[in-house]
Amino acid sequence: MLLRQMRYFVAVVDCGSFTEAAAQCYISQSAISQQVHALEKELGVELIHRENRRFTLTPAGEYFYAHSRAILEQAEGLVRETRRLGSEDRELRLRIGYLRGYSGLELHQALAEFSQQYPEVSISIVHGTHEELYDLLRSGGVDLILNDQRRAFSDAYVNLELTRCGCYAELSLHNPLSMQEQVELADLRWTPCILISSREQQNAEQEYYQNTLGFGGSYLFADSLEEGRLLVISNRGFLPVESVGTLPPEGPSIRRLPIVQNGKQILRNYCVFWRKEQANRYMEEFAAILRKLIL
């Protein structure tokens, strides 16, 4: 039995809907249904009694739900406390997570400025997709993350909004759309969308861009921003990027155009997140430096 299956089951019950739970967990409705069914099969009992589009919990389901919530909270607390105890110099380190697809310059500048002010602090940096960063922060694997906002703010975290930035498409100069001053989202459906993602998170990333942002058409995946831009140069597709601060120049073979919908540019919200219970002055100082540079 996987903890992830328990999380999916709890999400379905909390939301009262497979559809809403799937959106919250950033997977498809069919995938979350399959995971709950696999959980029931492993347990050998029915947890959810389905009737058309509604469902009710069986007595076994009510029992399992109540104890699953407690187990999930204990598991997350166990991971956080283990990592905390494993580091004797916790106050002298800062672990930062940022998005794989981030390409702004301000993060580098913030790291340089912070290191100059606090040379005694050891900094480690990881990158990941939205969900990978969220899981790392929740389990205590990182101290703070630079991430896009995809869910409602939680009171358990400090949610420092950095900027509401415009969404752009990086296109090859060989693509006819590159001759325009802006590109409508609907016009991009014939060009494959290139997403920066680990193999494990490809489905979750595609679900978000397809169902939440409305990017239609087919998808390609790249492990890194550099690989994604090489695909753009070879005219394999377009790469969606956000202007989180100052973007580097496009390069001689790429054109960067605002993505608009009904004439208005698509906007995304970017934030720095950290857990309130784990907050310290280094997190707050770094976040303040990054926000000052981006604003």
Side-chain angles (χ1 to χ4, degrees):
M1 184 190 309
L2 299 175
L3 286 175
R4 187 176 296 275
Q5 290 178 325
M6 295 174 68
R7 288 195 184 99
Y8 290 156
F9 171 72
V10 168
V12 168
V13 179
D14 286 343
C15 294
S17 163
F18 279 86
T19 302
E20 292 182 16
Q24 184 184 90
C25 298
Y26 299 103
I27 63 172
S28 66
Q29 182 178 344
S30 60
I32 202 168
S33 296
Q34 290 170 4
Q35 290 297 315
V36 172
H37 180 71
L39 179 62
E40 290 178 316
K41 185 176 181 181
E42 182 175 347
L43 291 171
V45 297
E46 183 185 47
L47 300 175
I48 293 177
H49 181 67
R50 300 160 179 82
E51 295 179 358
N52 298 323
R53 294 187 177 183
R54 296 185 177 182
F55 69 82
T56 56
L57 288 179
T58 64
E62 292 178 355
Y63 176 85
F64 190 78
Y65 168 74
H67 288 272
S68 290
R69 288 186 63 89
I71 290 172
L72 290 172
E73 290 174 1
Q74 290 174 1
E76 291 177 4
L78 173 64
V79 171
R80 287 196 303 271
E81 186 65 11
T82 301
R83 285 174 169 161
R84 186 187 69 81
L85 293 174
S87 176
E88 296 180 355
D89 59 345
R90 179 173 175 269
E91 285 299 312
L92 295 179
R93 72 176 183 182
L94 184 63
R95 300 167 301 166
I96 301 168
Y98 72 98
L99 283 169
R100 279 176 178 261
Y102 171 78
S103 60
L105 303 177
E106 282 73 12
L107 178 59
H108 303 80
Q109 297 169 349
L111 288 169
E113 184 173 333
F114 180 86
S115 295
Q116 185 176 11
Q117 292 184 25
Y118 302 98
E120 73 279 9
V121 179
S122 173
I123 299 176
S124 60
I125 304 172
V126 297
H127 63 71
T129 64
H130 174 94
E131 282 303 298
E132 287 170 336
L133 293 177
Y134 176 71
D135 286 341
L136 280 171
L137 183 62
R138 183 173 57 186
S139 64
V142 293
D143 298 313
L144 82 167
I145 57 174
L146 167 61
N147 211 353
D148 55 345
Q149 183 188 0
R150 298 190 183 182
R151 48 169 57 87
F153 288 147
S154 168
D155 291 336
Y157 299 90
V158 176
N159 311 285
L160 181 65
E161 297 183 61
L162 294 177
T163 182
R164 187 162 176 78
C165 57
C167 190
Y168 292 81
E170 292 190 352
L171 292 154
S172 166
L173 292 179
H174 298 295
N175 189 311
L177 294 174
S178 68
M179 304 302 293
Q180 304 176 176
E181 292 302 316
Q182 59 186 27
V183 58
E184 279 281 348
L185 180 61
D187 294 336
L188 288 169
R189 66 185 182 277
W190 308 115
T191 304
C193 177
I194 302 167
L195 298 180
I196 313 300
S197 174
S198 62
R199 184 177 299 274
E200 296 78 11
Q201 290 292 316
Q202 288 179 2
N203 289 338
E205 287 296 294
Q206 180 174 334
E207 285 277 347
Y208 178 73
Y209 275 84
Q210 194 168 38
N211 298 332
T212 303
L213 297 183
F215 283 61
S218 59
Y219 287 82
L220 298 174
F221 297 93
D223 288 330
S224 66
L225 197 58
E226 180 181 5
E227 182 184 342
R229 289 199 166 115
L230 288 175
L231 290 173
V232 172
I233 291 172
S234 58
N235 200 21
R236 295 284 305 280
F238 77 93
L239 178 68
V241 297
E242 284 82 35
S243 57
V244 190
T246 306
L247 291 175
E250 299 103 311
S253 302
I254 295 177
R255 182 85 190 281
R256 186 181 295 143
L257 301 176
I259 301 177
V260 299
Q261 192 170 28
N262 300 321
K264 294 183 179 180
Q265 187 174 13
I266 295 175
L267 300 176
R268 304 281 308 284
N269 202 24
Y270 274 75
C271 308
V272 175
F273 302 94
W274 65 93
R275 294 185 65 90
K276 288 181 179 179
E277 64 182 27
Q278 302 292 336
N280 61 41
R281 65 190 181 98
Y282 296 126
M283 301 179 200
E284 295 168 356
E285 284 291 325
F286 180 81
I289 292 171
L290 183 59
R291 189 183 194 193
K292 175 191 66 177
L293 290 170
I294 287 181
L295 292 177

